[in-house]
Amino acid sequence: MLTVVNEDGTTPSGSSLLDEIVREGARRMLAAALGAEVNAYIAELADERDDEGHRLVVRNGYHQPRQVTTAAGAVEVKAPRVNDKRADEQTGGRKRFSSAILPPWCRKSPKISEVLPLLYLHGLSSGDFVPALEQFLGSSAGLSAATVTRLTQQWQADHAHAAFMDRDLAEVDYVYVWADGIHLSVRLEEAKACVLVLIGVRADGSKELVALKDGYRESGESWADLMRDCARRGMRAPVLAVGDGALGFWKALAEAFPDTREQKCWVHKTANVLDSMPKSAQPGAKKAIQDIYNAEVRDHAAQAIKTFAHLYGAKFPKAVKKITDDQEQLLAFYDFPAEHWIHLRTTNPIESTFSTVRLRTKVTRGAGSRTAALAMVFKLVESAQQRWRAVNAPHLVALVRAGARFERGRRVERPEAVAA
């Protein structure tokens, strides 16, 4: 069909010709898919016949046309109808065909429903949805202010986060965990409140959010409450936990999972050490600290700590003591596969995820209630989780859980295995 196109590439209706072609293609593909779905349904039940030999399941024209909002824009759909005369033993009525592609209630693609809350979370105000999405979708159908408000309220309800925090952890095995307390620009009822976050690595190497709740100043009792709750829900003791120097978390970890080893975050430790030194000495000290955690093996790291103590011990004994007192916890990652060292020496998996959360909370200037704030943070982390990459050499995580021993980053065969 010929279409008049203006010089700027738009049609008389004001839309782009390219957009109209995409929507027309989407309409035809959807019609073909719906037709194929109905044909397959009828063909599968072709042997279902009544006493007179007539088929019980046949085509029966089309439903009334309706507009469906998709990623390609608003598409008019005429769904085929099915006359299914079979009896439904459960309800006592007749069976009904329900399309898996386009359910009777559907007026917008599930992806559209998913993207609205995410756009809100990432900074688009609810008042900007309709004009913004109309440019992309070619229509504002189904995108009224009331619709947008209803969809954003779906994730703000506290039951989603509550259900997550009450799920059974007995069937999940987290070999490594990262823990951190994140302070955000959201109102959590207390000025010094923060969000306590626990991210774990499963035996297959994938990362997953374990727990997320509000706490007070990363206090020991707040962390203890979180860790006790994880243990109560059946969480197995991780092999290694990575966190900053906050004593609250380590005390809670020792209480809930006494067998879990500790690895203190080098990023937090570096910042803490440099804060206790004058600015003139910080560049050199930072380089000396990097030489420690970037050392090829544990022995070299231990030697680098001695060098750091020799260079700065006389003038800045408190700064040096911050490292020497925690040497065992700072070098624990060397007892694990070398491929995992880059993941285990810092809490970066949490920090990188929460950079997006901080951006959103700055845009909203506070989320209002505690429930709304936690719901916002939970939804953002849930969205980010889909993009998390597995740790390097994921197959080695299961060996760590099995108790394999690693020296200089490489697996050491057990004596009995060598003798055999």
Side-chain angles (χ1 to χ4, degrees), residues 11 16 25 30 45-46 60 122 143 154 160 166 212 240 264 285 291 294 323 329 331 336 347 387:
T11 64
S16 165
L30 181 55
L45 302 170
N60 187 25
H122 288 286
L143 296 177
Q154 288 179 358
D166 199 40
L212 183 151
L240 181 72
K264 293 191 175 179
D291 290 341
N294 285 328
I323 291 181
Q329 291 84 0
L331 303 185
F336 295 86
T347 56
R387 300 185 297 274

Side-chain angles (χ1 to χ4, degrees), residues 161 188-189 193-196 212-216 222 225 370 374:
H161 177 247
L188 289 175
E189 299 177 2
C194 66
V195 178
L196 306 181
L212 183 151
K213 72 183 296 290
D214 59 319
Y216 181 76
S222 295
D225 183 56
R370 165 184 170 274
L374 283 176

Side-chain angles (χ1 to χ4, degrees), residues 3-280:
T3 303
V4 177
V5 182
N6 299 325
E7 292 183 359
D8 60 358
T10 62
T11 64
S13 63
S15 62
S16 165
L17 178 60
L18 178 60
D19 290 338
E20 289 198 2
I21 292 174
V22 171
R23 281 193 289 273
E24 176 62 17
R27 186 192 66 77
R28 293 184 181 184
M29 290 179 65
L30 181 55
L34 291 172
E37 182 186 33
V38 167
N39 291 338
Y41 180 79
I42 293 175
E44 182 181 354
L45 302 170
D47 294 335
E48 297 281 344
R49 298 176 181 268
D50 60 19
D51 296 338
E52 298 180 358
H54 299 145
R55 287 189 177 185
L56 293 175
V57 184
V58 295
R59 288 281 294 268
N60 187 25
Y62 291 87
H63 291 284
Q64 289 294 322
R66 54 174 154 147
Q67 292 278 333
V68 178
T69 303
T70 71
V75 176
E76 185 176 274
V77 178
K78 287 180 63 177
R81 293 174 57 179
V82 175
N83 186 6
D84 194 335
K85 300 177 183 179
R86 296 175 301 154
D88 190 332
E89 297 179 356
Q90 294 183 346
T91 64
R94 288 170 53 178
K95 290 190 176 181
R96 291 179 177 272
F97 167 76
S98 181
S99 172
I101 299 173
L102 188 68
W105 46 264
C106 183
R107 292 296 183 274
K108 62 175 63 66
S109 161
K111 286 296 180 184
I112 298 297
S113 297
E114 290 175 11
V115 80
L116 294 180
L118 292 179
L119 286 176
Y120 174 80
L121 286 167
H122 288 286
L124 191 65
S125 65
S126 56
D128 295 331
F129 273 98
V130 175
L133 291 179
E134 187 173 4
Q135 298 299 315
F136 290 99
L137 304 177
S139 170
S140 60
L143 296 177
S144 66
T147 299
V148 172
T149 300
R150 176 176 54 80
L151 289 170
T152 53
Q153 286 175 343
Q154 288 179 358
W155 59 263
Q156 286 184 333
D158 63 341
H159 61 77
H161 177 247
F164 170 79
M165 286 299 295
D166 199 40
R167 75 196 192 285
D168 184 16
L169 297 178
E171 301 299 324
V172 188
D173 185 12
Y174 299 111
V175 181
Y176 303 133
V177 294
W178 295 280
D180 205 354
I182 307 296
H183 297 265
L184 304 169
S185 301
V186 293
R187 297 189 292 274
L188 289 175
E189 299 177 2
E190 295 285 349
K192 296 180 180 179
C194 66
V195 178
L196 306 181
V197 188
L198 205 63
I199 292 177
V201 176
R202 300 175 65 126
D204 62 359
S206 61
K207 300 172 187 173
E208 184 174 276
L209 178 65
V210 181
L212 183 151
K213 72 183 296 290
D214 59 319
Y216 181 76
R217 275 188 171 184
E218 298 187 64
S219 68
E221 187 53 41
S222 295
W223 274 115
D225 183 56
L226 176 62
M227 300 307 292
R228 282 194 295 260
D229 182 63
C230 289
R232 175 187 62 80
R233 290 186 283 135
M235 178 176 170
R236 186 177 178 185
V239 177
L240 181 72
V242 187
D244 68 5
L247 294 177
F249 169 70
W250 301 115
K251 289 181 180 179
L253 180 72
E255 176 189 327
F257 304 111
D259 295 331
T260 299
R261 294 190 59 185
E262 302 176 5
Q263 168 64 49
K264 293 191 175 179
C265 171
W266 272 103
V267 171
H268 287 86
K269 177 61 71 174
T270 300
N272 188 251
V273 171
L274 296 182
D275 282 346
S276 63
M277 304 175 72
K279 289 187 176 181
S280 59

